[in-house]
Amino acid sequence: MQPTGNLHIGNYLGALKNWVRIQNDYECIFCIVDLHAITQYQEPTELRAKIEEIAALYLAAGIDPKTCSIMVQSAVPAHAELAWMLTCVTPVGWLERMTQYKMKAAKQESVGDGLLQYPVLMAADILLYQAGIVPVGEDQAQHLELTRDIAQRFNSLYGETFVVPGTSLPAVGARIMGLDDPEQKMSKSATGAGHAVALLDPPAKIRKTIMRATTDSNPAVDFAAAGPGVRNLLAIYQAFSGDTDDAMKRQFTDMRYGDLKKQVAEMVVSHLEPFQDRYRRIVSEPGYLAGVLREGAERVAPIANDTVRLTKDRMGLYT
Ligand code: AMP
C-alpha cells in the first residue's frame, strides 16, 4: 500500500483483510510502497509519519511480523534497480494504456514520468521476490496483468528469469465504492466528507458517514433490483461479517434502507473499534515499529539482491 492519505475500508476489505487470512498459507511479504507515493508530491515529514502509520495499521489488522515480513520499499534499493531493468523491456504504449495512469494524468497539467513508470516499479516489487500470488483489490488487476506481460517479455528475451505471478482477489469486497457516489471507487485521494470510512475514523463519524450513504429511490432492499449504492452497503456488510449470500438475503430482503444503514454501521464499528485499540497500543510502544520494519527489510533484502544479480547476469550487465 502507498503511504498516502487515510487508509479506508476499501483498502481493508480489498487487500488487508485478505492478507491476514492467507498469511499462514504462504510465505508473505507486505511492502509499504513509499517510492510509489512520490510519483505525486508528498510533504516529506508527513510521508515519513505515514510510513509508520501504515505499518501500524498492518499490525493492527493482524499481520504477524514473526511469520511475515513487513518492509518499506525504499529500504531495499533492489526495487529501484530492478525497476530500471524492467523499464528497458517495457513498451511505452503498454504504460499509456493503464487506466489508473490515464485517470491520474487527466487531473494534472504536467505529468511526471514517475506516474507513467508506476506500474513498472510495481512489477519490480513483485518479480523481485519471485512471487506466486499477489493479493490485491480489483483496481490493481490491470497492473498485475501488465506485470505478467513484462515478466513474460523479459523471460522470452533473456531466458527464464521471473516467476509469472497470479492475482488473488477477495470474493466479496474487491471493489468498494464511494459512499457519496457509488459509481466511483472508494479512494484515499477523494476529499468529500461522506466519501469514505477511514480505518481510524471515530465511531460517531463512521456512523454518520454510513447513515448518509447514497442509496436509490426504492424504499427497501430488493436484491434483484438494488442500485449500486445499496449493493455497495450490502457488500461492505458481507465482507466484514463473512455471511453467505443466502444468509444475506434472509437478513436483508425487504429491510428499509434506514435499518440497513444502521446494521452496516454497527458491523463496521464493531470491527474497527478493537482494530483502533490495537493500533493505539502498537504506536505507543517506543521503537517497536522501527524494529519491525528494520527486521522485515533485513529478511527480504537477500532474496531481492539474488534476483537483481540473476537479472543483471541474464542481461549481460556487470555483476
Ligand atoms: P492503494 O490505495 O493504491 O495504496 O491500494 C492499496 C490496496 O488497496 C490495493 O491492493 C488496492 O487494490 C486496494 N484498494 C484500494 N481501493 C480499494 C477499493 N475501493 N476497494 C477495494 N480495494 C481497494
Side-chain angles (χ1 to χ4, degrees):
M1 294 205 193
Q2 290 188 72
T4 54
N6 293 321
L7 247 61
H8 51 64
I9 55 173
N11 298 122
Y12 179 73
L13 298 174
L16 196 46
K17 188 167 180 280
N18 208 16
W19 300 358
V20 176
R21 189 175 58 78
I22 64 168
Q23 66 177 328
N24 295 315
D25 302 335
Y26 299 91
E27 185 186 344
C28 291
I29 299 171
F30 298 116
C31 190
I32 298 162
V33 294
D34 55 348
L35 295 173
H36 278 103
I38 58 166
T39 54
Q40 291 183 300
Y41 175 79
Q42 306 297 330
E43 202 285 312
T45 325
E46 268 175 37
L47 178 60
R48 214 158 290 136
K50 275 284 161 191
I51 291 170
E52 290 217 340
E53 181 184 301
I54 303 279
L57 289 170
Y58 285 5
L59 295 168
I63 302 285
D64 180 357
K66 290 194 196 73
T67 52
C68 308
S69 303
I70 301 178
M71 39 80 63
V72 182
Q73 189 182 30
S74 66
V76 179
H79 286 252
E81 212 177 346
L82 184 63
W84 174 250
M85 293 182 254
L86 298 180
T87 293
C88 296
V89 302
T90 307
V92 177
W94 289 6
L95 301 176
E96 284 171 339
R97 274 200 296 275
M98 293 294 107
T99 308
Q100 202 169 79
Y101 167 73
K102 286 195 280 192
M103 277 166 49
K104 287 185 182 171
K107 289 185 199 150
Q108 287 165 222
E109 246 171 58
S110 150
V111 180
D113 185 29
L115 207 55
L116 185 66
Q117 301 301 328
Y118 183 109
V120 185
L121 179 58
M122 181 164 159
D125 298 339
I126 295 163
L127 302 180
L128 206 45
Y129 300 103
Q130 307 288 9
I133 293 282
V134 189
V136 285
E138 201 182 87
D139 60 331
Q140 293 301 329
Q142 191 186 37
H143 287 164
L144 257 297
E145 194 57 47
L146 180 81
T147 299
R148 282 190 281 280
D149 288 344
I150 293 174
Q152 274 157 353
R153 189 180 171 98
F154 190 100
N155 287 350
S156 73
L157 280 171
Y158 292 106
E160 277 310 302
T161 307
F162 299 116
V163 169
V164 179
T167 307
S168 161
L169 297 180
V172 184
R175 188 175 183 83
I176 298 296
M177 310 308 282
L179 292 165
D180 57 345
D181 177 3
E183 303 289 345
Q184 300 297 323
K185 179 192 83 156
M186 188 177 282
S187 151
K188 283 191 278 185
S189 54
T191 46
H195 176 75
V197 170
L199 297 180
L200 296 176
D201 275 352
K205 186 170 178 202
I206 297 174
R207 291 192 177 97
K208 193 167 161 190
T209 309
I210 294 175
M211 292 310 293
R212 279 190 185 167
T214 302
T215 48
D216 52 47
S217 55
N218 298 329
V221 178
D222 172 352
F223 276 81
V230 172
R231 287 204 303 275
N232 191 40
L233 287 168
L234 291 165
I236 292 170
Y237 186 97
Q238 189 178 15
F240 273 108
S241 71
D243 284 348
T244 61
D245 291 350
D246 283 347
M248 289 293 294
K249 284 193 180 130
R250 273 196 305 276
Q251 185 171 347
F252 290 108
T253 298
D254 294 334
M255 187 181 278
R256 299 190 72 79
Y257 288 162
D259 293 329
L260 163 70
K261 287 177 179 177
K262 269 187 212 147
Q263 299 226 10
V264 175
E266 290 321 307
M267 175 57 66
V268 175
V269 168
S270 72
H271 276 77
L272 292 191
E273 260 183 334
F275 176 95
Q276 294 175 1
D277 287 344
R278 288 193 295 275
Y279 174 84
R280 283 189 283 270
R281 272 201 302 280
I282 290 159
V283 293
S284 68
E285 267 183 71
Y288 175 62
L289 283 172
V292 166
L293 294 176
R294 191 175 345 99
E295 257 176 50
E298 281 168 8
R299 222 183 288 158
V300 304
I303 313 172
N305 293 339
D306 277 355
T307 306
V308 164
R309 248 191 314 274
L310 175 67
T311 314
K312 287 174 82 174
D313 185 55
R314 289 278 197 267
M315 295 183 98
L317 295 169
Y318 203 68
T319 51

